Amino acid sequence: MDFTPNDYAEWRLRCGVLPMLREEAERPPEHLLQTIWHHQRLRREEFTTLDGRRLHVLHPGFLNREAGPDFLRAVLQFEGEPAQTCDVEVDLLSSGWRSHGHDRNPAFRKVALHVVWESDTPGSLPTLALRPHLDAPLEDLVLWLGSDPAQTFPGALAGACSAPLRGLEPARLTELLRQAALVRLRSKAAQFQARARQAGWEQALWEGIFRALGYKHNAWPMQRLAELRARLRPAEARSSLLGLQARLLGTAGLLPSDLARGRTAAAGYVRQLWDLWWRELEAFRDCTMPRSLWRFSGLRPANHPERRLALAAHWLHAGDLPVRLERWCRALPDSGSPAALLDVLQVEPDDFWSWHWTLRSKRLPGPQPLLGAARATDLAVNAVLPWLWVRAVEGRNETLQSALERCYLQWPASDDNAVLRLARQRLLGQAAPRVFRHAASQQGLLQMVRDFCEYSNALCTHCRFPELVSGWATPVPV
Ligand code: SF4
């Protein structure tokens, strides 16, 4: 591309706004390589793997910003084989596969293609070197990397439903999301109802709350701890808050022994926990979990399982959370509100946890609540509201049922996250309308992904959703 250098362009390079390509450094930065693959800025008809097989990239996969392979759910067809859904890892050199430990990491077992800039060693996986396949000189691609199109979701990866969904009137789209959100509310409520038949309403609630505290990566170990509730917090025995924190963290396998030796506040706190936990260790040995069960990568410090368990210990210690939630619910038609629910869920300041995100983090400059508004929203839409709603249904209390539905539909939106972002980009494109002011719209979108995307592939093969949306675009006159 002809480009007359100007002062501003030179500033960008000099200040590192763009990754510099020095003359002696012929390898592009890995981020550029990922973006080239994501947008397929490649001469795609010529792909041949290093072992000599022709390769057709039917879909490059979805960029993964969390731990694991760089691209998930790509659709590739190797010469003489049927198309397959798999993951793709991008590295500068083929030796990166071993030197980065991907060959030993179970999260990488679905990787079927290693995309590299160039090969420096024979690999064990089918490998594609990008260097000969760029669709423009590398210098031009470096400049393109700083442009908006390179930083946004590639339009070519939009789902087949994206056009019909974006063609809906804003009010119709909102209505569709609302309906999907109500389906999600009912399906979560049915889960609570089924569990309550086996374990009782209160136990079903605790399990839902713990699962929601585990967020998407740690829901199962959290669920297990909730199942142990009767042992962790026997109704007949009064446990101290510190004792419950020690028991929860100890049973979770999250109590570090190496930390107890220092002189910091964390060391002092951990020593106190160990003083309590070592006396109970044997009694809980049969249900103590290995630390390896928990996932920590990609977690915000506020969502660290240690902090979530410290919060759960406060609720278990108080012991009256279900009663207070029911009280909030009874006030709902008149004075109940999201803010009032946050008050119900909030706990007293904690000597240690109000000042530390995790057991290993430094003291915070100011105290932080153990529960923020975003987590309260997740608890509300995933556990509290479905649980209360199905209880209202069972009690045939239609007034309360409607009030809970209204509350669910009007609940303010939760924080954005990678799953929601991808769903929005894929189903609604970049210019997603401002319908996501409410948590219910987010829940509705997630339900669409659950119901349709999860039964199809990245190419939307056999997905009936586009046709259903197209047929629904205009209300049938009555
Ligand atoms: S699989 Fe279906 S719902 Fe998902 S993006 Fe494709 S067309 Fe849309």
Side-chain angles (χ1 to χ4, degrees), residues 53-366:
R53 280 190 295 166
R54 298 298 301 269
L55 167 69
H56 297 288
V57 177
L58 304 180
H59 192 290
F62 298 110
L63 181 62
N64 174 28
R65 297 190 190 276
E66 302 188 349
D70 291 319
F71 290 88
L72 305 176
R73 301 177 63 203
V75 185
L76 307 180
Q77 187 167 25
F78 292 95
E79 188 176 348
E81 293 181 16
Q84 58 171 303
T85 291
C86 57
D87 298 338
V88 171
E89 175 64 9
V90 177
D91 283 311
L92 287 177
L93 297 170
S94 51
S95 57
W97 182 254
R98 280 179 193 278
S99 65
H100 298 165
H102 303 328
D103 56 329
R104 301 182 299 279
N105 187 340
F108 285 73
R109 68 177 182 277
K110 289 192 197 154
V111 173
L113 181 69
H114 195 203
V115 169
V116 300
W117 175 241
E118 60 192 351
S119 171
D120 61 339
T121 177
S124 51
L125 270 181
T127 304
L128 178 69
L130 290 191
R131 187 173 193 160
H133 297 297
L134 303 184
D135 72 354
L138 188 54
E139 296 76 11
D140 288 358
L141 290 171
V142 171
L143 285 172
W144 165 76
L145 183 65
S147 69
D148 282 346
Q151 299 304 325
T152 49
F153 186 75
L157 303 190
C161 60
S162 179
L165 278 172
R166 281 182 293 130
L168 291 177
E169 294 286 329
R172 288 289 276 170
L173 178 59
T174 305
E175 171 61 14
L176 191 60
L177 289 164
R178 191 188 78 92
Q179 291 184 12
L182 286 173
V183 166
R184 195 167 176 85
L185 171 71
R186 281 173 199 149
S187 107
K188 283 183 193 290
Q191 248 180 295
F192 278 110
Q193 191 177 36
R195 183 62 182 144
R197 287 197 181 119
Q198 301 159 1
W201 284 108
E202 191 171 325
Q203 178 61 20
L205 173 67
W206 281 112
E207 290 176 17
I209 285 180
F210 269 61
R211 271 198 310 277
L213 286 181
Y215 205 40
K216 62 182 171 174
H217 294 315
N218 290 311
W220 283 108
M222 281 288 190
Q223 160 88 23
R224 175 67 184 138
L225 286 172
E227 286 164 3
L228 294 167
R229 185 177 68 99
R231 279 180 73 182
L232 294 167
R233 201 249 189 241
E236 67 284 0
R238 185 94 186 124
S239 307
S240 68
L241 173 61
L242 199 65
L244 278 169
Q245 288 179 341
R247 211 175 284 161
L248 277 171
L249 288 164
T251 311
L254 295 177
L255 208 47
S257 49
D258 61 323
L259 206 63
R261 289 189 285 274
R263 289 169 160 268
T264 59
Y269 173 67
V270 171
R271 270 197 301 278
Q272 284 181 297
L273 295 177
W274 268 108
D275 282 347
L276 295 161
W277 174 240
W278 75 263
R279 290 176 222 163
E280 301 192 314
L281 202 142
E282 270 313 312
F284 285 92
R285 191 175 291 285
D286 64 318
C287 58
T288 298
M289 297 192 252
R291 186 180 172 85
S292 56
L293 221 54
W294 300 88
R295 265 187 68 179
F296 304 104
S297 58
L299 278 183
R300 292 182 191 164
N303 291 334
H304 197 285
E306 291 166 358
R307 189 172 181 79
R308 295 286 159 235
L309 291 178
L311 169 66
H314 273 267
W315 289 332
L316 289 175
H317 182 245
D320 61 350
L321 185 62
V323 174
R324 285 190 291 137
L325 289 174
E326 281 173 340
R327 208 177 297 140
W328 171 81
C329 180
R330 281 196 296 276
L332 190 57
D334 308 315
S335 57
S337 69
L341 181 65
L342 182 56
D343 283 345
V344 170
L345 293 169
Q346 201 50 271
V347 297
E348 293 293 309
D350 184 293
D351 289 346
F352 180 80
W353 291 103
S354 295
W355 296 91
H356 297 82
W357 289 126
T358 70
L359 288 171
R360 291 178 189 277
S361 58
K362 287 193 188 130
R363 187 178 164 87
L364 297 163

Side-chain angles (χ1 to χ4, degrees), residues 62 73 157-162 165 423 426-427 448-449 451-466:
F62 298 110
R73 301 177 63 203
L157 303 190
C161 60
S162 179
L165 278 172
R426 200 174 166 210
L427 275 74
M448 291 169 182
V449 170
D451 291 337
F452 293 95
C453 300
E454 286 187 10
Y455 293 93
S456 182
N457 59 15
L459 296 168
C460 307
T461 309
H462 302 311
C463 181
R464 294 197 54 209
F465 195 51

